[in-house]
């Protein structure tokens, strides 16, 4: 049972880390779910209120920061709300339409199309597209660091 539990925990950690850059996967929620798998199959004993409070706060921060950092990238480069929405749609659809490069091209095109729809000139639309890519990379970096912190805290608590 312990081997199964650790296998599932590690699998969820891997899915979570891949989800930090691939938005279709549950990311941070997979890592959070790993704690419950560990608890149900091994023991909840190592986890006290400090562990759950810390991990839950990190989850909330990641979820808020994911949208906020991406949106800040678009806004910093002169994009409007239409660019933010287009970038988000492109981030979700892009990997399916263009598997190898959709994570970068999707948000870029989404932001550009969002700006063009509201009548923005090409130069400003392209700038918003660049901002969406910068925001995506910044958001991914924040998620990777915080999700690694979650995993490290789990290991510290369990060992």
């Amino acid at each position: 049972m312990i081997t199964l539990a650790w296998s599932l925990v590690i699998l969820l950690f891997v899915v979570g880390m891949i989800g930090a850059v691939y938005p279709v996967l549950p990311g941070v929620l997979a890592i959070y779910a790993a704690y419950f798998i560990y608890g149900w199959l091994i023991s909840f004993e190592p986890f006290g209120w400090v562990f759950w409070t810390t991990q839950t706060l990190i989850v909330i921060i990641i979820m808020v920061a994911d949208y906020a950092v991406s949106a800040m990238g678009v806004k910093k480069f002169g994009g409007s709300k239409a660019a933010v929405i287009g970038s988000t749609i492109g981030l979700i659809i892009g990997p399916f339409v263009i598997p190898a490069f959709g994570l970068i091209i999707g948000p870029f095109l989404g932001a550009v199309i969002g700006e063009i729809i509201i009548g923005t000139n090409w130069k400003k639309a392209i700038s918003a597209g660049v901002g969406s890519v910068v925001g995506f990379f910044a958001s991914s970096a924040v998620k990777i660091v915080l999700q690694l912190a979650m995993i490290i805290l789990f290991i510290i608590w369990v060992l």
Side-chain angles (χ1 to χ4, degrees), residues 142-155:
V142 168
K143 288 189 290 187
I144 288 168
V145 168
L146 290 176
Q147 287 179 191
L148 279 174
M150 290 175 72
I151 293 169
I152 290 167
L153 286 173
F154 168 81
I155 292 168

Side-chain angles (χ1 to χ4, degrees), residues 5-6 8-13 16-17 27-48 50-59 62 145-158:
W6 276 106
L8 291 172
V9 165
I10 291 168
L11 176 66
L12 286 169
F13 285 167
M17 292 310 294
V28 68
L29 296 180
I31 293 171
Y32 201 72
Y35 309 150
F36 288 96
I37 296 297
Y38 182 91
W40 290 324
L41 298 179
I42 296 178
S43 172
F44 279 104
E45 191 269 324
F47 309 134
V50 174
F51 174 83
W52 288 110
T53 302
T54 303
Q55 295 291 10
T56 302
L57 284 173
I58 294 172
V59 169
I62 288 172
V145 168
L146 290 176
Q147 287 179 191
L148 279 174
M150 290 175 72
I151 293 169
I152 290 167
L153 286 173
F154 168 81
I155 292 168
I156 291 169
W157 243 274
V158 170

Side-chain angles (χ1 to χ4, degrees), residues 2 7-8 10 16 20 30 34 37 46 55 88 91 98 124 130 147 156:
I2 289 177
S7 297
L8 291 172
I10 291 168
I37 296 297
Q55 295 291 10
T88 303
L91 185 61
I98 311 166
K124 190 171 178 183
V130 170
Q147 287 179 191
I156 291 169

Side-chain angles (χ1 to χ4, degrees), residues 46-120:
F47 309 134
W49 71 271
V50 174
F51 174 83
W52 288 110
T53 302
T54 303
Q55 295 291 10
T56 302
L57 284 173
I58 294 172
V59 169
I60 292 167
I61 290 167
I62 288 172
M63 293 176 131
V64 170
D66 185 24
Y67 179 77
V69 171
S70 292
M72 283 173 35
V74 173
K75 297 255 186 213
K76 184 95 172 154
F77 282 72
S80 66
K81 188 171 185 166
V84 173
I85 293 168
S87 174
T88 303
I89 293 169
L91 185 61
I92 295 168
I93 295 173
F96 294 110
V97 177
I98 311 166
F101 303 103
L103 280 173
I104 296 168
I105 295 171
F108 176 81
L109 286 178
V112 170
I113 291 168
E115 287 294 319
I116 296 299
I117 287 173
I118 63 166
T120 304

